[in-house]
């Protein structure tokens, strides 16, 4: 699969002598784009190998993983069930563009309270789900497991060996783990978590085989799905200058962080950086609903 690396030519980068490229994983598929395609690839094969006919997974109201799993199941002839955080959504999911998209592609929803959702990795809770829905193939929230990490390790190719840094946003850590395992010995992987805290360090360590990586934890903008005007302005400016749309949850925050680090002189001149566009563009419509209510500028689509 030949995914283009787009050269990003902007004044700050030229001034600092930094070469920045963006790997356009968002172009893989119109619905199963970016890292979600990579994470699902081997899990779908395993589900079929085990004779499973239904995928069951977890996500929030605007989850890229929920949307991608629904379409992947539709495409592969598998039923899909989404355990959705927030029982208050049960009566109004029709107004949610992500859940609407998932439903259009055949996903059945099971809405649970936020307190119950926190039990999603507990054996007793999972047992109740399998008692209810039968012999399903379980995919964790965000899709991260060993097979997902294997898929994400295929993001990098031999042509990417020229880069000094590989950068990616981090949600559940699977994409960053795959990149760490695939990176060359001279490369450093930088993960930009979109959630507060450094708990991802231990999660990632369970999947990786080297220490040539670090997490840059200053660019979460208050936590998952939190945005502010500077981030929105950056995303819209980036699109106007490059023609490339960024999602506000993952890639937008990562690139904001990269540009800020460049501005601060963290990278020496002639550094070559490859940033991964992990997709997630379906979430822009949902975010614009939220921004409109807050009287903030909308994201360009």
């Amino acid at each position: 699969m030949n995914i283009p690396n787009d050269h990003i030519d902007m004044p700050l980068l030229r001034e600092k002598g930094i070469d920045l490229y963006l790997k356009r994983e968002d172009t893989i598929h119109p619905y199963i784009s970016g890292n979600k395609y990579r994470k699902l690839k081997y899990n779908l094969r395993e589900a079929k190998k085990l004779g499973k006919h239904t995928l069951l997974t977890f996500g929030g109201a605007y989850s890229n993983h929920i949307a991608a799993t629904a379409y992947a199941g539709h495409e592969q002839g598998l039923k899909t069930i989404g355990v959705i955080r927030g029982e208050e959504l049960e009566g109004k999911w029709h107004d949610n563009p992500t859940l609407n998209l998932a439903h259009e592609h055949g996903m059945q929803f099971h809405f649970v309270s936020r307190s119950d959702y926190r039990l999603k990795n507990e054996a007793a809770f999972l047992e109740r789900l399998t008692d209810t829905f039968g012999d399903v193939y379980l995919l964790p929230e965000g899709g991260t497991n060993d097979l997902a990490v294997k898929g994400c390790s295929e993001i990098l190719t031999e042509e990417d060996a020229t880069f000094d840094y590989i950068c990616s946003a981090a949600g559940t850590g699977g994409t960053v783990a795959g990149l760490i395992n695939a990176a060359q010995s001279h490369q450093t992987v930088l993960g930009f978590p979109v959630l507060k805290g450094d708990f991802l360090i231990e999660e990632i360590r369970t999947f990786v085989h080297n220490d040539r990586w670090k997490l840059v934890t200053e660019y979460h903008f208050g936590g998952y799905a939190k945005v502010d005007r500077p981030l929105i302005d950056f995303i819209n400016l980036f699109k106007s200058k490059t023609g490339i749309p960024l999602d506000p949850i993952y890639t937008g925050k990562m690139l904001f962080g990269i540009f800020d680090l460049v501005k601060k002189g963290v990278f020496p001149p002639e550094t070559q950086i490859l940033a991964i566009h992990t997709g997630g563009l379906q979430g822009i419509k949902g975010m614009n609903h939220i921004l409109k209510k807050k009287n903030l500028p909308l994201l360009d689509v």
Side-chain angles (χ1 to χ4, degrees), residues 1-3 5 23 155-163 184 187 272 274:
M1 185 180 295
N2 185 25
I3 304 300
N5 292 340
K23 184 175 281 288
I155 292 172
L156 297 180
T157 66
E158 291 181 6
E159 288 75 22
D160 298 327
T162 58
F163 294 100
Q184 302 289 321
Q187 295 176 320
Q272 295 202 38
L274 178 65

Side-chain angles (χ1 to χ4, degrees), residues 16-273:
K16 298 290 187 177
I18 304 298
D19 265 331
L20 173 62
Y21 286 78
L22 187 62
K23 184 175 281 288
R24 297 296 305 279
E25 290 279 299
D26 59 304
T27 63
I28 289 178
H29 189 283
Y31 296 109
I32 322 170
S33 70
N35 62 341
K36 301 310 176 190
Y37 179 95
R38 304 289 188 178
K39 288 181 174 183
L40 286 167
K41 176 181 175 180
Y42 290 109
N43 275 292
L44 290 170
R45 291 184 186 179
E46 183 68 8
K48 290 193 168 186
K49 178 183 173 183
L50 295 174
K52 307 286 187 178
H53 303 290
T54 303
L55 308 174
L56 185 146
T57 195
F58 307 82
Y62 298 105
S63 167
N64 296 320
H65 174 65
I66 287 292
T69 301
Y71 193 90
H74 167 76
E75 198 171 62
Q76 297 288 326
L78 298 168
K79 296 179 181 178
T80 56
I81 299 167
V83 179
I84 309 298
R85 181 181 65 247
E87 56 192 352
E88 75 279 358
L89 294 167
E90 186 164 5
K92 53 184 180 181
W93 63 263
H94 299 83
D95 300 323
N96 179 296
T98 298
L99 297 182
N100 240 318
L101 180 66
H103 181 262
E104 286 174 7
H105 294 128
M107 179 170 275
Q108 174 186 347
F109 299 133
H110 179 64
F111 296 94
V112 299
S113 67
R114 281 165 169 73
S115 58
D116 279 352
Y117 191 83
R118 286 193 286 271
L119 304 174
K120 62 186 178 295
N121 296 320
E122 301 291 331
F125 182 68
L126 295 174
E127 188 176 334
R128 289 201 299 273
L129 288 174
T130 54
D131 285 344
T132 301
F133 295 108
D135 187 26
V136 299
Y137 185 85
L138 284 169
L139 282 168
E141 181 183 43
T144 292
N145 57 17
D146 288 327
L147 292 174
V149 172
K150 178 183 177 181
C152 289
S153 71
E154 296 177 354
I155 292 172
L156 297 180
T157 66
E158 291 181 6
E159 288 75 22
D160 298 327
T162 58
F163 294 100
D164 303 300
Y165 289 91
I166 310 296
C167 298
S168 175
T172 54
T175 303
V176 170
L179 294 170
I180 292 167
N181 288 339
Q184 302 289 321
S185 59
H186 66 278
Q187 295 176 320
T188 300
V189 175
L190 299 181
F192 291 76
V194 300
L195 294 93
K196 288 183 182 180
D198 57 5
F199 63 93
L200 270 186
I201 293 174
E202 293 306 316
E203 293 287 327
I204 291 170
R205 279 179 179 156
T206 64
F207 294 109
V208 302
H209 317 302
N210 66 72
D211 58 1
R212 297 185 300 274
W213 59 280
K214 66 175 289 189
L215 297 185
V216 184
T217 59
E218 299 89 352
Y219 300 101
H220 54 69
F221 287 82
Y224 184 76
K226 301 292 176 98
V227 300
D228 61 13
R229 186 181 290 268
L231 178 62
I232 298 164
D233 290 343
F234 170 80
I235 291 172
N236 285 338
L237 176 65
F238 188 89
K239 186 171 187 292
S240 72
K241 296 296 185 183
T242 66
I244 301 172
L246 305 175
D247 84 286
I249 310 300
Y250 295 99
T251 305
K253 291 182 178 182
M254 172 198 64
L255 278 166
F256 185 102
I258 291 172
F259 272 82
D260 193 50
L261 294 176
V262 169
K263 189 176 180 181
K264 292 174 178 175
V266 170
F267 302 109
E270 300 186 9
T271 296
Q272 295 202 38
I273 302 170

